[in-house]
Amino acid sequence: MPRASGPLAEALAHRAVLLDGGLSNQLAAQGCDLSGDLWSGRVLAEHPDHVAAAHTAYARAGAEVLITASYQVGYEAFAAHGHDRAETTALLRSSVRLAARVAEAADHEVWVAASVGPYGAVLADGSEYRGRYGLSVRELAAFHRPRVEALLAAGPDVLAVETIPDTDEAEALLTVLAETGAPAWLSWTVAAGRTRAGQPLDEAFALAAASPQVIAVGVNCCDPVDVLPALEAAASVTGKPLLAYPNDGSVWNATTRTWYTPEAPAPWPTGAWRATGARLIGGCCRIGPDRIADLAAAVHGR
């Protein structure tokens, strides 16, 4: 069957759509080595079959959107490991094609979202959870522009502009999106009612309110307890569909490269999220296919 019957934005106008879960944790569960600065990008380069298997696990769990393995793929980071520019461009495009093949083989409608991770992700030092990189909006746009262009050349259904920690980077990405005209969602990583860089959430969400390219706004890779207040802030300044795909509440320590897991997992009040306007719901780091299957039952009753 065709991987999707129409644009994702049209589906969001009528119903909730289920996202997949964390790619890195599923790759780890499959025995992949995620050590080193390139993280899941290394697996994409060396073992694309494992990436396809991870996508397949989520599609079988009921995911209706597959997010590509391009989050950590950047030209500078891969150049430091011996990959030239053409190789990195090919890798970005292959991440979309891998997900597309899995989507086309699924027994239900599946969209492909090309992951555009933040600048901090390719630094591999946890700075996507801090922001404030010391770069200007123009410099950040110059960093993101070639990655976005390479991903779009492979034909994703939408761009997943995700885990954005501060408003400077959002401004840069919105500039690039306006140049391309491509549909995208914009997802912040937040904590305690603010962006990770400390800006008020209403100001952050308002940046996307007037962008015709942005089809949904929301949060990802955050504690589940931070989701509802963030969605309420987003709903107050934008009429766009909302999205939520938190992690399990764990905190990443970039120095030790380990997660600190909460003693008791926070509840996921998906009914309240949906009542606030969430139409894209899924999971991020440490949320696997079993949790996505549970979400499929909660969101779609299957």
Side-chain angles (χ1 to χ4, degrees):
M1 64 179 294
R3 72 187 192 209
S5 60
L8 179 59
E10 291 183 3
L12 298 181
H14 304 289
R15 66 180 182 89
V17 174
L18 188 66
L19 297 170
D20 59 8
L23 184 62
S24 61
N25 49 267
Q26 179 57 24
L27 291 174
Q30 294 171 190
C32 297
D33 182 1
L34 298 177
S35 63
D37 295 347
L38 301 183
W39 196 40
S40 57
R42 173 184 170 189
V43 182
L44 175 65
E46 298 177 359
H47 300 288
D49 54 319
H50 285 296
V51 175
H55 287 321
T56 298
Y58 283 117
R60 288 175 176 167
E64 298 169 283
V65 180
L66 299 177
I67 302 174
T68 65
S70 49
Y71 177 88
Q72 197 103 3
V73 180
Y75 287 97
E76 295 81 359
F78 272 73
H81 288 267
H83 297 264
D84 64 26
R85 198 167 185 84
E87 289 173 330
T88 303
T89 296
L91 194 62
L92 287 163
R93 294 176 180 176
S94 72
S95 72
V96 177
R97 295 182 181 125
L98 269 177
R101 285 201 294 270
V102 174
E104 289 160 3
D107 62 1
H108 59 277
E109 188 171 38
V110 178
W111 288 269
V112 172
S115 175
V116 181
Y119 176 80
V122 301
L123 300 179
D125 63 357
S127 58
E128 66 263 49
Y129 299 117
R130 299 188 300 271
R132 304 285 87 187
Y133 312 119
L135 300 180
S136 68
V137 171
R138 173 178 283 188
E139 288 170 323
L140 287 167
F143 167 79
H144 284 293
R145 187 174 289 112
R147 301 169 72 218
V148 167
E149 290 172 348
L151 290 166
L152 288 176
D157 297 299
V158 65
L159 295 173
V161 179
E162 57 181 353
T163 325
I164 304 304
D166 71 54
T167 54
D168 284 354
E169 188 156 28
E171 288 182 27
L173 283 157
L174 288 169
T175 297
V176 174
L177 291 178
E179 294 167 357
T180 67
W185 74 62
L186 177 60
S187 184
W188 299 85
T189 179
V190 302
R194 289 181 171 267
T195 70
R196 295 284 186 158
Q199 297 112 349
L201 289 185
D202 55 350
E203 295 178 12
F205 288 120
L207 289 174
S211 171
Q213 286 76 45
V214 176
I215 65 168
V217 295
V219 294
N220 77 289
C221 211
C222 61
D223 193 307
V225 302
D226 287 318
V227 170
L228 186 57
L231 294 181
E232 291 171 343
S236 72
V237 295
T238 175
K240 296 180 184 291
L242 306 182
L243 64 92
Y245 52 117
N247 55 39
D248 68 346
S250 298
V251 176
W252 174 248
N253 185 314
T255 302
T256 62
R257 301 186 68 82
T258 56
W259 288 97
Y260 295 150
T261 305
E263 293 183 6
W268 286 37
T270 54
W273 299 352
R274 293 182 64 184
T276 308
R279 293 294 176 268
L280 282 166
I281 300 175
C284 200
C285 298
R286 301 170 66 83
I287 303 299
D290 54 340
R291 293 291 301 277
I292 296 305
D294 291 341
L295 278 177
V299 172
H300 294 316
R302 67 169 186 256

